[in-house]
Amino acid sequence: MTLLILLLAYIVRRALDSADRLDPDSFWIRCTRAGSRRAPGKRWQRTTGVALLAIPALGLIALNHWLRDSSWSVMIYPLDFLILMLLLGAPGWSGRLAAYGEAWRRGDMNAAWHHVKSCLRERERGSATAPESLHLALSNRFMATVFERYFLIMFWYVVGGIGVAFLVRGTLALRDHWPQRSARPAFGAVVSVLAWLPARLLSLSFGVAGDLAGWLSEGRRSVFSPAANHEKVLMTAANGALTGYALDPVRFARIHPEDWMNFGGLSLAAIRNLLNRSMLVWICALALLVIAGILR
């Protein structure tokens, strides 16, 4: 049932993302406003955030165990599906990426930057002035967002259940939206720990779903680099697994100058296809675990 719930939640969530509906961030932003009152110190700020997250997560774990041992055990499945569907998702990207690709095709890089500037980190908005820098920064953010909002949550749902998945998604929200900015790096460090193994599994998936030879020559090094963060691991692996220099704008412009105006759209389409194929690899791997009796 775990695989079935995962598939249903993924399909429904992808449909909602395409329609740009039910943004989970709005819920998490409202939840983190409880910490907007200034706390006396950084330790207290972090403790408040952990408490706001841990209490409902522990409640979900306890509810799941109670249902499993009660006559209402069948309710576990719709509950897991509903919560998982609400935890997943990154709406808003489809429209922004389409507008970005169209602006790139017209050669209007100022418009392209304005379409996606809200997706970039604050420190990247000023430095991403050259087309190459802008595109690499956007590709990095898009890939990291899809990893965190889908692959990371799904991995921990399979490993630990819906309570752990809620904990992981809540930690992402604390890192991104906690009102006291000084406390956010601590939550970011926790995310890095949680993402260490799933990011390397996704990197391996890139090799299976993409150009294996290119991945072996470039991307595999990041898998065996214990200190590399998940964003660097994914970008390095994707660059090796993608053909046609989809993540190397400088070489693409030198080798295919006649197609430079289409590079933005072509590159993003290649990244999206690689992520979709990698998700299929994960689903097939989970199906094999079900067949082997390891996953129920």
Side-chain angles (χ1 to χ4, degrees):
M1 286 301 294
T2 299
L3 178 59
L4 180 60
I5 292 169
L6 207 63
L7 280 172
L8 290 175
Y10 172 71
I11 292 169
V12 172
R13 187 64 250 188
R14 282 293 300 269
L16 290 171
D17 281 0
S18 298
D20 197 12
R21 300 185 60 184
L22 205 61
D23 186 357
D25 268 347
S26 59
F27 165 77
W28 290 106
I29 290 172
R30 286 196 298 270
C31 290
T32 54
R33 283 178 184 169
S36 61
R37 187 169 58 187
R38 197 162 187 81
K42 292 182 181 180
R43 180 183 295 275
W44 177 249
Q45 293 169 7
R46 293 194 293 267
T47 303
T48 305
V50 171
L52 287 172
L53 178 60
I55 292 171
L58 291 173
L60 273 176
I61 293 172
L63 176 61
N64 202 277
H65 280 287
W66 178 79
L67 286 174
R68 196 176 302 276
D69 296 332
S70 72
S71 58
W72 294 85
S73 58
V74 70
M75 293 301 297
I76 291 175
Y77 307 123
L79 179 66
D80 278 14
F81 163 74
L82 178 62
I83 296 176
L84 184 61
M85 185 269 295
L86 294 174
L87 294 178
L88 297 173
W93 277 94
S94 295
R96 292 190 188 100
L97 295 184
Y100 170 86
E102 179 59 27
W104 185 291
R105 190 185 63 79
R106 298 195 310 266
D108 189 351
M109 297 311 302
N110 186 52
W113 181 84
H114 277 284
H115 284 306
V116 299
K117 66 177 181 179
S118 62
C119 305
L120 304 176
R121 293 192 179 95
E122 292 182 6
R123 67 175 182 270
E124 295 171 336
R125 293 173 190 172
S127 60
T129 52
E132 297 84 358
S133 301
L134 171 63
H135 188 76
L136 289 177
L138 176 64
S139 300
N140 180 58
R141 289 306 308 138
F142 174 63
M143 199 177 310
T145 300
V146 173
F147 165 71
E148 292 174 356
R149 302 295 181 83
Y150 279 97
F151 291 93
L152 180 62
I153 297 171
M154 293 168 72
F155 172 86
W156 285 109
Y157 170 70
V158 172
V159 171
I162 197 64
V164 176
F166 180 90
L167 197 65
V168 172
R169 181 62 182 90
T171 306
L172 291 172
L174 292 175
R175 181 200 64 183
D176 296 336
H177 305 303
W178 188 243
Q180 282 79 32
R181 290 178 175 267
S182 59
R184 292 183 184 180
F187 299 126
V190 176
V191 170
S192 297
V193 173
L194 294 171
W196 193 91
L197 179 58
R200 281 154 178 79
L201 291 176
L202 182 56
S203 174
L204 291 170
S205 305
F206 286 168
V208 176
D211 178 12
L212 181 59
W215 183 87
L216 288 172
S217 64
E218 296 183 27
R220 66 171 181 170
R221 288 175 294 184
S222 63
V223 177
F224 302 106
S225 175
N229 63 40
H230 61 279
E231 294 186 9
K232 183 177 181 181
V233 168
L234 296 178
M235 279 292 287
T236 304
N239 186 38
L242 288 171
T243 58
Y245 309 109
L247 274 176
D248 193 343
V250 175
R251 294 184 69 180
F252 184 93
R254 186 170 65 247
I255 297 173
H256 305 290
E258 69 283 358
D259 289 330
W260 175 246
M261 303 301 286
N262 297 319
F263 173 77
L266 291 173
S267 174
L268 290 173
I271 294 171
R272 295 177 77 166
N273 289 336
L274 179 64
L275 289 168
N276 288 335
R277 293 195 302 271
S278 297
M279 180 60 75
L280 182 60
V281 171
W282 278 41
I283 291 171
C284 291
L286 290 174
L288 291 175
L289 292 177
V290 172
I291 294 171
I294 300 173
L295 183 66
R296 291 188 294 173

